[in-house]
Amino acid sequence: MQRFPCPFCGLRDEREFHFSAEAGKTRPDTTQDVSETEWRDYLYAQANPVGVSEEIWVHIPCREVFLMKRNTVTMEVLSSRALRKEHTP
Amino acid sequence: MTKHYSAWSILKEGLRHHKGWGKAWRTPKPQAEYDIVIIGGGGHGLATAYYLAKNHGITRVAVIEKGWLGGGNTGRNTTVIRSNYFYPESVALYDLSTKLYETLSRELNYNVMFSQRGMAVLCHSEPEMEMAARMVNAMQINGTDAELMDAKDLRKKAPVLNYSNDARYPIHGAVWQGRAGTGRHDAVAWGFARAADQLGIDIIQNCEVTGFLMEGGTCKGVETTLGPIRAGRVGAAVAGHSSVMAGLAGYALPITSYTLQAFVSEPLKPVIDTVAFSPACGAYFSQSDKGGLVIGGGLDRVPSYAQRGNLPMQEAVLSGLVEFAPILSKVKLLRHWGGTVDVTPDSSPVIGPSGVDGIYVNCGWGTGGFKAIPAGGYLFAHLLATDAHHDISRPFDPSRFLTGHLIDEGAASGIAH
């Protein structure tokens, strides 16, 4: 069983985590005109990298949303950090 | 050399000590230029090559494979062939595939061992039986065979399951599709390869695509480990690695790669002669001709290119299996493995132009690519030959992510995602 690092709870069983999305996308500014292509790219386009990938995960028991960097081939976890602004690890 | 496979040729070769069998396909050096280059020598790529030659008369075609034929998901699945989908677009697609499978052994002169043993999708409550009735109605309206089966009839088909009333998930009935079944996965790749080769198509193994030859924004071929190969059109049928090709060429795909695991048990005496799937328990199984139980379930929930699975999903699938077939709890596994599958947001495939001129994609089959091999090849060949969609593949064009016309089978058909 692999263990993933929650920035708040430490190393926990991988079953407690939920993969949410790839990191790095910004929701289009809906106060401006947003083209269909922009919506498609935001909603559906994935880099889906081989190797190092930066992803948004949720630790289900504590409900914290955080950033985790992993290698998608070796499954090694490289780093994890909180997304909250006030949290400094 | 004996080229045609038949009972007579086995007899004849037997008398000659089996010394006259030719190789099933050639090992050609790549030519400098082809009309069409197909990336990926799995089932879909090889079927595309075969139908390009057979349906469209295009034989200046190369299939380029970085490893060996059928070494990816074609050789890693649980061999189930079925068309029990909900939406009309999906039924048209998967039923075309099932129909092509029905005559494939004869057409390819290669036994793909398609055994139409039927498939039961189990229901474990009265509300699930209501949803099953809706599913059966949809399938019948869409023109494929489906039957709502109660527990009494199902018990005659698959007595090995747990019909006890005090089961945690008691079996109330099933959606039955009698034409569904299992095939011999390697034989599908090898059969298409041999038939395509006989029609003059070059199958080039151990040759990895490392880039695309771009001229004025149009793709004019591929860079490979065996040198550049020019092509009028390039088709990518590389399943779990579709995003890698997209990255090399500069187009985007709505795909996330996950691991899908499968398991085979030690050989047993016959215990089941259909495919039984419990969505509630998250597992399904059938029994191979060698006696091994072939077991599958849902995706690992971690994006991955590792081609090996994680322990939580093994536990979930096997405990699910034991839940609806507790008699199997002492069965030992012989082996298990993982494949890298290309999952789309709506669990439906992507067939169409990639967005870069000259490159076309056949991908996004996710957990269900094997059953779709003949249809995927048939439709992709049509697209590559004519630069236009066949009516059946049109709804699966990548433009659906722009227009919002998704075909959400993940939500509709209760398949394991």
PDB file of all heavy atoms in Angstrom, chain A residues 1 14-15 19 36-37 40 44-46 48-50 70 72-75, chain B residues 243-244 253-255 257 302-303 305-306 308 310-312 315 345 401 406:
ATOM      1  N   MET A   1       0.841  -1.199   0.000  1.00  0.00           N
ATOM      2  CA  MET A   1       0.000   0.000   0.000  1.00  0.00           C
ATOM      3  C   MET A   1       0.872   1.243   0.000  1.00  0.00           C
ATOM      4  O   MET A   1       1.778   1.363   0.810  1.00  0.00           O
ATOM      5  CB  MET A   1      -0.882  -0.034   1.253  1.00  0.00           C
ATOM      6  CG  MET A   1      -2.146   0.744   1.138  1.00  0.00           C
ATOM      7  SD  MET A   1      -3.384  -0.051   0.106  1.00  0.00           S
ATOM      8  CE  MET A   1      -3.925  -1.418   1.153  1.00  0.00           C
ATOM      9  N   GLU A  14      -3.049   5.589   0.851  1.00  0.00           N
ATOM     10  CA  GLU A  14      -3.506   6.184  -0.416  1.00  0.00           C
ATOM     11  C   GLU A  14      -5.019   6.115  -0.596  1.00  0.00           C
ATOM     12  O   GLU A  14      -5.598   6.907  -1.342  1.00  0.00           O
ATOM     13  CB  GLU A  14      -2.821   5.508  -1.609  1.00  0.00           C
ATOM     14  CG  GLU A  14      -3.140   4.036  -1.778  1.00  0.00           C
ATOM     15  CD  GLU A  14      -2.456   3.426  -3.008  1.00  0.00           C
ATOM     16  OE1 GLU A  14      -2.827   3.788  -4.132  1.00  0.00           O
ATOM     17  OE2 GLU A  14      -1.560   2.586  -2.830  1.00  0.00           O
ATOM     18  N   ARG A  15      -5.682   5.191   0.089  1.00  0.00           N
ATOM     19  CA  ARG A  15      -7.141   5.089  -0.048  1.00  0.00           C
ATOM     20  C   ARG A  15      -7.872   6.290   0.515  1.00  0.00           C
ATOM     21  O   ARG A  15      -9.037   6.508   0.243  1.00  0.00           O
ATOM     22  CB  ARG A  15      -7.655   3.818   0.654  1.00  0.00           C
ATOM     23  CG  ARG A  15      -7.359   2.566  -0.135  1.00  0.00           C
ATOM     24  CD  ARG A  15      -7.778   1.331   0.612  1.00  0.00           C
ATOM     25  NE  ARG A  15      -6.999   1.162   1.826  1.00  0.00           N
ATOM     26  CZ  ARG A  15      -6.921   0.012   2.508  1.00  0.00           C
ATOM     27  NH1 ARG A  15      -7.580  -1.050   2.100  1.00  0.00           N
ATOM     28  NH2 ARG A  15      -6.194  -0.087   3.586  1.00  0.00           N
ATOM     29  N   PHE A  19      -7.902  11.970  -6.303  1.00  0.00           N
ATOM     30  CA  PHE A  19      -7.295  12.781  -7.357  1.00  0.00           C
ATOM     31  C   PHE A  19      -8.347  13.731  -7.897  1.00  0.00           C
ATOM     32  O   PHE A  19      -9.420  13.317  -8.296  1.00  0.00           O
ATOM     33  CB  PHE A  19      -6.766  11.879  -8.468  1.00  0.00           C
ATOM     34  CG  PHE A  19      -6.408  12.625  -9.722  1.00  0.00           C
ATOM     35  CD1 PHE A  19      -5.307  13.474  -9.747  1.00  0.00           C
ATOM     36  CD2 PHE A  19      -7.170  12.496 -10.879  1.00  0.00           C
ATOM     37  CE1 PHE A  19      -4.973  14.174 -10.904  1.00  0.00           C
ATOM     38  CE2 PHE A  19      -6.838  13.192 -12.032  1.00  0.00           C
ATOM     39  CZ  PHE A  19      -5.735  14.031 -12.046  1.00  0.00           C
ATOM     40  N   GLU A  36     -15.589  29.242 -26.993  1.00  0.00           N
ATOM     41  CA  GLU A  36     -15.799  27.799 -26.782  1.00  0.00           C
ATOM     42  C   GLU A  36     -14.473  27.073 -26.623  1.00  0.00           C
ATOM     43  O   GLU A  36     -14.347  26.142 -25.847  1.00  0.00           O
ATOM     44  CB  GLU A  36     -16.584  27.226 -27.961  1.00  0.00           C
ATOM     45  CG  GLU A  36     -18.054  27.591 -27.934  1.00  0.00           C
ATOM     46  CD  GLU A  36     -18.808  26.996 -29.102  1.00  0.00           C
ATOM     47  OE1 GLU A  36     -18.176  26.603 -30.092  1.00  0.00           O
ATOM     48  OE2 GLU A  36     -20.045  26.930 -29.020  1.00  0.00           O
ATOM     49  N   THR A  37     -13.483  27.508 -27.410  1.00  0.00           N
ATOM     50  CA  THR A  37     -12.171  26.851 -27.343  1.00  0.00           C
ATOM     51  C   THR A  37     -11.550  27.023 -25.955  1.00  0.00           C
ATOM     52  O   THR A  37     -10.983  26.087 -25.409  1.00  0.00           O
ATOM     53  CB  THR A  37     -11.235  27.463 -28.406  1.00  0.00           C
ATOM     54  OG1 THR A  37     -11.959  27.567 -29.624  1.00  0.00           O
ATOM     55  CG2 THR A  37     -10.006  26.619 -28.613  1.00  0.00           C
ATOM     56  N   ARG A  40     -13.338  24.704 -23.634  1.00  0.00           N
ATOM     57  CA  ARG A  40     -12.924  23.307 -23.876  1.00  0.00           C
ATOM     58  C   ARG A  40     -11.559  23.045 -23.254  1.00  0.00           C
ATOM     59  O   ARG A  40     -11.366  22.051 -22.559  1.00  0.00           O
ATOM     60  CB  ARG A  40     -12.865  23.026 -25.380  1.00  0.00           C
ATOM     61  CG  ARG A  40     -12.436  21.595 -25.678  1.00  0.00           C
ATOM     62  CD  ARG A  40     -11.969  21.431 -27.106  1.00  0.00           C
ATOM     63  NE  ARG A  40     -10.809  22.265 -27.377  1.00  0.00           N
ATOM     64  CZ  ARG A  40     -10.284  22.443 -28.582  1.00  0.00           C
ATOM     65  NH1 ARG A  40     -10.842  21.861 -29.627  1.00  0.00           N
ATOM     66  NH2 ARG A  40      -9.227  23.201 -28.750  1.00  0.00           N
ATOM     67  N   TYR A  44     -11.505  20.332 -20.431  1.00  0.00           N
ATOM     68  CA  TYR A  44     -11.193  18.970 -20.886  1.00  0.00           C
ATOM     69  C   TYR A  44      -9.742  18.688 -21.250  1.00  0.00           C
ATOM     70  O   TYR A  44      -9.312  17.547 -21.125  1.00  0.00           O
ATOM     71  CB  TYR A  44     -12.069  18.623 -22.095  1.00  0.00           C
ATOM     72  CG  TYR A  44     -13.541  18.672 -21.810  1.00  0.00           C
ATOM     73  CD1 TYR A  44     -14.394  19.512 -22.530  1.00  0.00           C
ATOM     74  CD2 TYR A  44     -14.099  17.876 -20.807  1.00  0.00           C
ATOM     75  CE1 TYR A  44     -15.753  19.543 -22.267  1.00  0.00           C
ATOM     76  CE2 TYR A  44     -15.443  17.913 -20.536  1.00  0.00           C
ATOM     77  CZ  TYR A  44     -16.278  18.751 -21.270  1.00  0.00           C
ATOM     78  OH  TYR A  44     -17.611  18.790 -21.003  1.00  0.00           O
ATOM     79  N   ALA A  45      -9.001  19.679 -21.764  1.00  0.00           N
ATOM     80  CA  ALA A  45      -7.655  19.374 -22.251  1.00  0.00           C
ATOM     81  C   ALA A  45      -6.747  18.971 -21.083  1.00  0.00           C
ATOM     82  O   ALA A  45      -6.747  19.611 -20.034  1.00  0.00           O
ATOM     83  CB  ALA A  45      -7.082  20.579 -22.990  1.00  0.00           C
ATOM     84  N   GLN A  46      -6.014  17.898 -21.282  1.00  0.00           N
ATOM     85  CA  GLN A  46      -5.111  17.412 -20.240  1.00  0.00           C
ATOM     86  C   GLN A  46      -3.709  17.283 -20.804  1.00  0.00           C
ATOM     87  O   GLN A  46      -3.537  16.800 -21.924  1.00  0.00           O
ATOM     88  CB  GLN A  46      -5.550  16.018 -19.753  1.00  0.00           C
ATOM     89  CG  GLN A  46      -7.004  15.897 -19.348  1.00  0.00           C
ATOM     90  CD  GLN A  46      -7.317  16.634 -18.059  1.00  0.00           C
ATOM     91  OE1 GLN A  46      -6.407  17.001 -17.313  1.00  0.00           O
ATOM     92  NE2 GLN A  46      -8.586  16.867 -17.806  1.00  0.00           N
ATOM     93  N   ASN A  48      -1.524  15.332 -19.200  1.00  0.00           N
ATOM     94  CA  ASN A  48      -1.375  13.895 -18.962  1.00  0.00           C
ATOM     95  C   ASN A  48       0.082  13.452 -19.116  1.00  0.00           C
ATOM     96  O   ASN A  48       0.380  12.570 -19.922  1.00  0.00           O
ATOM     97  CB  ASN A  48      -2.286  13.145 -19.957  1.00  0.00           C
ATOM     98  CG  ASN A  48      -2.510  11.705 -19.576  1.00  0.00           C
ATOM     99  OD1 ASN A  48      -2.381  11.329 -18.410  1.00  0.00           O
ATOM    100  ND2 ASN A  48      -2.826  10.875 -20.557  1.00  0.00           N
ATOM    101  N   PRO A  49       0.998  14.059 -18.367  1.00  0.00           N
ATOM    102  CA  PRO A  49       2.425  13.838 -18.637  1.00  0.00           C
ATOM    103  C   PRO A  49       2.926  12.455 -18.215  1.00  0.00           C
ATOM    104  O   PRO A  49       2.427  11.864 -17.261  1.00  0.00           O
ATOM    105  CB  PRO A  49       3.105  14.926 -17.800  1.00  0.00           C
ATOM    106  CG  PRO A  49       2.144  15.200 -16.704  1.00  0.00           C
ATOM    107  CD  PRO A  49       0.776  14.965 -17.244  1.00  0.00           C
ATOM    108  N   VAL A  50       3.907  11.980 -18.967  1.00  0.00           N
ATOM    109  CA  VAL A  50       4.665  10.789 -18.566  1.00  0.00           C
ATOM    110  C   VAL A  50       5.812  11.297 -17.715  1.00  0.00           C
ATOM    111  O   VAL A  50       6.619  12.088 -18.188  1.00  0.00           O
ATOM    112  CB  VAL A  50       5.238  10.055 -19.796  1.00  0.00           C
ATOM    113  CG1 VAL A  50       6.009   8.813 -19.368  1.00  0.00           C
ATOM    114  CG2 VAL A  50       4.130   9.675 -20.748  1.00  0.00           C
ATOM    115  N   ARG A  70       4.138  14.234  -8.396  1.00  0.00           N
ATOM    116  CA  ARG A  70       4.411  12.792  -8.421  1.00  0.00           C
ATOM    117  C   ARG A  70       5.103  12.445  -9.729  1.00  0.00           C
ATOM    118  O   ARG A  70       5.034  13.184 -10.704  1.00  0.00           O
ATOM    119  CB  ARG A  70       3.101  11.995  -8.435  1.00  0.00           C
ATOM    120  CG  ARG A  70       2.250  12.059  -7.214  1.00  0.00           C
ATOM    121  CD  ARG A  70       1.079  11.088  -7.363  1.00  0.00           C
ATOM    122  NE  ARG A  70       0.387  11.241  -8.632  1.00  0.00           N
ATOM    123  CZ  ARG A  70       0.242  10.266  -9.532  1.00  0.00           C
ATOM    124  NH1 ARG A  70       0.713   9.060  -9.310  1.00  0.00           N
ATOM    125  NH2 ARG A  70      -0.390  10.498 -10.676  1.00  0.00           N
ATOM    126  N   THR A  72       4.545   9.833 -12.647  1.00  0.00           N
ATOM    127  CA  THR A  72       3.456   8.931 -13.063  1.00  0.00           C
ATOM    128  C   THR A  72       3.969   7.593 -13.599  1.00  0.00           C
ATOM    129  O   THR A  72       3.180   6.724 -13.925  1.00  0.00           O
ATOM    130  CB  THR A  72       2.584   9.592 -14.156  1.00  0.00           C
ATOM    131  OG1 THR A  72       3.412   9.929 -15.273  1.00  0.00           O
ATOM    132  CG2 THR A  72       1.882  10.834 -13.649  1.00  0.00           C
ATOM    133  N   VAL A  73       5.284   7.436 -13.717  1.00  0.00           N
ATOM    134  CA  VAL A  73       5.837   6.149 -14.164  1.00  0.00           C
ATOM    135  C   VAL A  73       6.316   5.337 -12.961  1.00  0.00           C
ATOM    136  O   VAL A  73       5.973   4.167 -12.802  1.00  0.00           O
ATOM    137  CB  VAL A  73       6.979   6.349 -15.175  1.00  0.00           C
ATOM    138  CG1 VAL A  73       7.546   5.008 -15.608  1.00  0.00           C
ATOM    139  CG2 VAL A  73       6.472   7.125 -16.390  1.00  0.00           C
ATOM    140  N   THR A  74       7.106   5.988 -12.074  1.00  0.00           N
ATOM    141  CA  THR A  74       7.626   5.260 -10.912  1.00  0.00           C
ATOM    142  C   THR A  74       6.662   5.303  -9.727  1.00  0.00           C
ATOM    143  O   THR A  74       6.834   4.558  -8.774  1.00  0.00           O
ATOM    144  CB  THR A  74       8.962   5.877 -10.448  1.00  0.00           C
ATOM    145  OG1 THR A  74       8.691   7.225 -10.008  1.00  0.00           O
ATOM    146  CG2 THR A  74       9.971   5.918 -11.585  1.00  0.00           C
ATOM    147  N   MET A  75       5.656   6.185  -9.773  1.00  0.00           N
ATOM    148  CA  MET A  75       4.675   6.402  -8.717  1.00  0.00           C
ATOM    149  C   MET A  75       5.289   7.039  -7.469  1.00  0.00           C
ATOM    150  O   MET A  75       4.673   7.102  -6.408  1.00  0.00           O
ATOM    151  CB  MET A  75       3.916   5.115  -8.337  1.00  0.00           C
ATOM    152  CG  MET A  75       3.297   4.386  -9.510  1.00  0.00           C
ATOM    153  SD  MET A  75       2.208   5.445 -10.485  1.00  0.00           S
ATOM    154  CE  MET A  75       0.674   5.295  -9.585  1.00  0.00           C
TER     155      MET A  75
ATOM    156  N   SER B 243      -1.535  10.751 -25.243  1.00  0.00           N
ATOM    157  CA  SER B 243      -1.104  12.101 -24.848  1.00  0.00           C
ATOM    158  C   SER B 243       0.364  12.332 -25.183  1.00  0.00           C
ATOM    159  O   SER B 243       0.778  13.474 -25.368  1.00  0.00           O
ATOM    160  CB  SER B 243      -1.330  12.313 -23.352  1.00  0.00           C
ATOM    161  OG  SER B 243      -2.690  12.150 -23.034  1.00  0.00           O
ATOM    162  N   VAL B 244       1.154  11.262 -25.241  1.00  0.00           N
ATOM    163  CA  VAL B 244       2.568  11.401 -25.587  1.00  0.00           C
ATOM    164  C   VAL B 244       2.698  11.854 -27.039  1.00  0.00           C
ATOM    165  O   VAL B 244       3.452  12.776 -27.361  1.00  0.00           O
ATOM    166  CB  VAL B 244       3.320  10.062 -25.376  1.00  0.00           C
ATOM    167  CG1 VAL B 244       4.785  10.206 -25.758  1.00  0.00           C
ATOM    168  CG2 VAL B 244       3.180   9.595 -23.931  1.00  0.00           C
ATOM    169  N   LEU B 253      -5.455  16.598 -26.024  1.00  0.00           N
ATOM    170  CA  LEU B 253      -6.489  15.559 -25.933  1.00  0.00           C
ATOM    171  C   LEU B 253      -7.140  15.610 -24.558  1.00  0.00           C
ATOM    172  O   LEU B 253      -6.494  15.955 -23.577  1.00  0.00           O
ATOM    173  CB  LEU B 253      -5.871  14.175 -26.148  1.00  0.00           C
ATOM    174  CG  LEU B 253      -5.428  13.821 -27.562  1.00  0.00           C
ATOM    175  CD1 LEU B 253      -4.673  12.502 -27.553  1.00  0.00           C
ATOM    176  CD2 LEU B 253      -6.618  13.742 -28.507  1.00  0.00           C
ATOM    177  N   PRO B 254      -8.413  15.230 -24.491  1.00  0.00           N
ATOM    178  CA  PRO B 254      -9.099  15.229 -23.189  1.00  0.00           C
ATOM    179  C   PRO B 254      -8.902  13.886 -22.488  1.00  0.00           C
ATOM    180  O   PRO B 254      -9.862  13.229 -22.105  1.00  0.00           O
ATOM    181  CB  PRO B 254     -10.562  15.430 -23.598  1.00  0.00           C
ATOM    182  CG  PRO B 254     -10.664  14.774 -24.938  1.00  0.00           C
ATOM    183  CD  PRO B 254      -9.323  14.901 -25.595  1.00  0.00           C
ATOM    184  N   ILE B 255      -7.654  13.469 -22.343  1.00  0.00           N
ATOM    185  CA  ILE B 255      -7.387  12.104 -21.877  1.00  0.00           C
ATOM    186  C   ILE B 255      -6.533  12.113 -20.623  1.00  0.00           C
ATOM    187  O   ILE B 255      -5.578  12.879 -20.509  1.00  0.00           O
ATOM    188  CB  ILE B 255      -6.695  11.305 -23.000  1.00  0.00           C
ATOM    189  CG1 ILE B 255      -7.745  10.889 -24.034  1.00  0.00           C
ATOM    190  CG2 ILE B 255      -5.942  10.100 -22.454  1.00  0.00           C
ATOM    191  CD1 ILE B 255      -7.187  10.199 -25.224  1.00  0.00           C
ATOM    192  N   SER B 257      -4.481   9.139 -18.361  1.00  0.00           N
ATOM    193  CA  SER B 257      -4.078   7.725 -18.385  1.00  0.00           C
ATOM    194  C   SER B 257      -4.106   7.148 -16.979  1.00  0.00           C
ATOM    195  O   SER B 257      -3.535   7.726 -16.046  1.00  0.00           O
ATOM    196  CB  SER B 257      -2.677   7.593 -18.988  1.00  0.00           C
ATOM    197  OG  SER B 257      -2.714   7.938 -20.352  1.00  0.00           O
ATOM    198  N   VAL B 302      -5.528   6.516  -9.394  1.00  0.00           N
ATOM    199  CA  VAL B 302      -4.345   7.370  -9.435  1.00  0.00           C
ATOM    200  C   VAL B 302      -3.845   7.426 -10.882  1.00  0.00           C
ATOM    201  O   VAL B 302      -3.548   6.387 -11.452  1.00  0.00           O
ATOM    202  CB  VAL B 302      -3.225   6.792  -8.538  1.00  0.00           C
ATOM    203  CG1 VAL B 302      -2.045   7.737  -8.484  1.00  0.00           C
ATOM    204  CG2 VAL B 302      -3.742   6.498  -7.144  1.00  0.00           C
ATOM    205  N   PRO B 303      -3.776   8.620 -11.507  1.00  0.00           N
ATOM    206  CA  PRO B 303      -3.249   8.680 -12.873  1.00  0.00           C
ATOM    207  C   PRO B 303      -1.864   8.040 -12.952  1.00  0.00           C
ATOM    208  O   PRO B 303      -1.024   8.271 -12.075  1.00  0.00           O
ATOM    209  CB  PRO B 303      -3.171  10.186 -13.159  1.00  0.00           C
ATOM    210  CG  PRO B 303      -4.193  10.788 -12.263  1.00  0.00           C
ATOM    211  CD  PRO B 303      -4.178   9.950 -11.017  1.00  0.00           C
ATOM    212  N   TYR B 305       1.227   5.828 -15.654  1.00  0.00           N
ATOM    213  CA  TYR B 305       1.735   5.149 -16.855  1.00  0.00           C
ATOM    214  C   TYR B 305       2.532   3.902 -16.454  1.00  0.00           C
ATOM    215  O   TYR B 305       3.328   3.399 -17.229  1.00  0.00           O
ATOM    216  CB  TYR B 305       2.674   6.081 -17.626  1.00  0.00           C
ATOM    217  CG  TYR B 305       1.978   7.155 -18.439  1.00  0.00           C
ATOM    218  CD1 TYR B 305       1.699   8.407 -17.911  1.00  0.00           C
ATOM    219  CD2 TYR B 305       1.619   6.907 -19.758  1.00  0.00           C
ATOM    220  CE1 TYR B 305       1.084   9.395 -18.672  1.00  0.00           C
ATOM    221  CE2 TYR B 305       1.003   7.881 -20.527  1.00  0.00           C
ATOM    222  CZ  TYR B 305       0.738   9.126 -19.979  1.00  0.00           C
ATOM    223  OH  TYR B 305       0.131  10.090 -20.745  1.00  0.00           O
ATOM    224  N   ALA B 306       2.357   3.428 -15.237  1.00  0.00           N
ATOM    225  CA  ALA B 306       3.279   2.428 -14.689  1.00  0.00           C
ATOM    226  C   ALA B 306       3.061   1.017 -15.247  1.00  0.00           C
ATOM    227  O   ALA B 306       3.937   0.176 -15.126  1.00  0.00           O
ATOM    228  CB  ALA B 306       3.166   2.405 -13.176  1.00  0.00           C
ATOM    229  N   ARG B 308       1.451  -1.201 -13.961  1.00  0.00           N
ATOM    230  CA  ARG B 308       1.280  -2.129 -12.845  1.00  0.00           C
ATOM    231  C   ARG B 308       0.289  -1.491 -11.881  1.00  0.00           C
ATOM    232  O   ARG B 308       0.240  -0.275 -11.737  1.00  0.00           O
ATOM    233  CB  ARG B 308       2.606  -2.453 -12.158  1.00  0.00           C
ATOM    234  CG  ARG B 308       3.277  -1.262 -11.544  1.00  0.00           C
ATOM    235  CD  ARG B 308       4.493  -1.667 -10.718  1.00  0.00           C
ATOM    236  NE  ARG B 308       4.947  -0.530  -9.946  1.00  0.00           N
ATOM    237  CZ  ARG B 308       5.732   0.428 -10.424  1.00  0.00           C
ATOM    238  NH1 ARG B 308       6.193   0.361 -11.652  1.00  0.00           N
ATOM    239  NH2 ARG B 308       6.091   1.451  -9.670  1.00  0.00           N
ATOM    240  N   ASN B 310      -2.181  -0.968  -8.262  1.00  0.00           N
ATOM    241  CA  ASN B 310      -1.964  -0.738  -6.839  1.00  0.00           C
ATOM    242  C   ASN B 310      -2.798  -1.710  -5.991  1.00  0.00           C
ATOM    243  O   ASN B 310      -3.746  -2.333  -6.472  1.00  0.00           O
ATOM    244  CB  ASN B 310      -2.211   0.728  -6.460  1.00  0.00           C
ATOM    245  CG  ASN B 310      -3.658   1.142  -6.608  1.00  0.00           C
ATOM    246  OD1 ASN B 310      -4.541   0.307  -6.803  1.00  0.00           O
ATOM    247  ND2 ASN B 310      -3.915   2.429  -6.506  1.00  0.00           N
ATOM    248  N   LEU B 311      -2.393  -1.844  -4.747  1.00  0.00           N
ATOM    249  CA  LEU B 311      -3.016  -2.832  -3.867  1.00  0.00           C
ATOM    250  C   LEU B 311      -4.470  -2.523  -3.507  1.00  0.00           C
ATOM    251  O   LEU B 311      -5.281  -3.440  -3.451  1.00  0.00           O
ATOM    252  CB  LEU B 311      -2.177  -2.995  -2.598  1.00  0.00           C
ATOM    253  CG  LEU B 311      -0.865  -3.765  -2.804  1.00  0.00           C
ATOM    254  CD1 LEU B 311       0.046  -3.588  -1.616  1.00  0.00           C
ATOM    255  CD2 LEU B 311      -1.146  -5.237  -3.038  1.00  0.00           C
ATOM    256  N   PRO B 312      -4.853  -1.248  -3.257  1.00  0.00           N
ATOM    257  CA  PRO B 312      -6.248  -0.999  -2.870  1.00  0.00           C
ATOM    258  C   PRO B 312      -7.238  -1.526  -3.911  1.00  0.00           C
ATOM    259  O   PRO B 312      -8.280  -2.092  -3.548  1.00  0.00           O
ATOM    260  CB  PRO B 312      -6.322   0.529  -2.763  1.00  0.00           C
ATOM    261  CG  PRO B 312      -4.941   0.958  -2.478  1.00  0.00           C
ATOM    262  CD  PRO B 312      -4.041  -0.020  -3.171  1.00  0.00           C
ATOM    263  N   GLU B 315      -7.580  -5.305  -3.807  1.00  0.00           N
ATOM    264  CA  GLU B 315      -8.423  -5.700  -2.678  1.00  0.00           C
ATOM    265  C   GLU B 315      -9.897  -5.455  -2.990  1.00  0.00           C
ATOM    266  O   GLU B 315     -10.752  -6.305  -2.724  1.00  0.00           O
ATOM    267  CB  GLU B 315      -7.993  -4.899  -1.445  1.00  0.00           C
ATOM    268  CG  GLU B 315      -8.542  -5.444  -0.160  1.00  0.00           C
ATOM    269  CD  GLU B 315      -8.045  -4.639   1.036  1.00  0.00           C
ATOM    270  OE1 GLU B 315      -7.288  -3.665   0.858  1.00  0.00           O
ATOM    271  OE2 GLU B 315      -8.436  -5.001   2.151  1.00  0.00           O
ATOM    272  N   PRO B 345     -13.424  12.199 -20.474  1.00  0.00           N
ATOM    273  CA  PRO B 345     -14.408  12.658 -19.486  1.00  0.00           C
ATOM    274  C   PRO B 345     -15.763  11.960 -19.615  1.00  0.00           C
ATOM    275  O   PRO B 345     -16.485  11.835 -18.628  1.00  0.00           O
ATOM    276  CB  PRO B 345     -14.554  14.152 -19.794  1.00  0.00           C
ATOM    277  CG  PRO B 345     -13.294  14.525 -20.486  1.00  0.00           C
ATOM    278  CD  PRO B 345     -12.858  13.318 -21.253  1.00  0.00           C
ATOM    279  N   PHE B 401     -16.207  17.937 -27.579  1.00  0.00           N
ATOM    280  CA  PHE B 401     -15.784  18.625 -26.359  1.00  0.00           C
ATOM    281  C   PHE B 401     -15.892  20.140 -26.512  1.00  0.00           C
ATOM    282  O   PHE B 401     -15.841  20.877 -25.539  1.00  0.00           O
ATOM    283  CB  PHE B 401     -14.363  18.194 -25.979  1.00  0.00           C
ATOM    284  CG  PHE B 401     -14.296  16.729 -25.650  1.00  0.00           C
ATOM    285  CD1 PHE B 401     -13.830  15.810 -26.576  1.00  0.00           C
ATOM    286  CD2 PHE B 401     -14.776  16.257 -24.440  1.00  0.00           C
ATOM    287  CE1 PHE B 401     -13.812  14.461 -26.288  1.00  0.00           C
ATOM    288  CE2 PHE B 401     -14.770  14.905 -24.140  1.00  0.00           C
ATOM    289  CZ  PHE B 401     -14.286  14.003 -25.070  1.00  0.00           C
ATOM    290  N   LEU B 406     -21.529  15.481 -25.392  1.00  0.00           N
ATOM    291  CA  LEU B 406     -20.824  14.337 -24.841  1.00  0.00           C
ATOM    292  C   LEU B 406     -21.725  13.097 -24.865  1.00  0.00           C
ATOM    293  O   LEU B 406     -22.949  13.204 -24.846  1.00  0.00           O
ATOM    294  CB  LEU B 406     -20.376  14.615 -23.406  1.00  0.00           C
ATOM    295  CG  LEU B 406     -19.489  15.847 -23.194  1.00  0.00           C
ATOM    296  CD1 LEU B 406     -18.891  15.826 -21.792  1.00  0.00           C
ATOM    297  CD2 LEU B 406     -18.384  15.944 -24.225  1.00  0.00           C
TER     298      LEU B 406
END
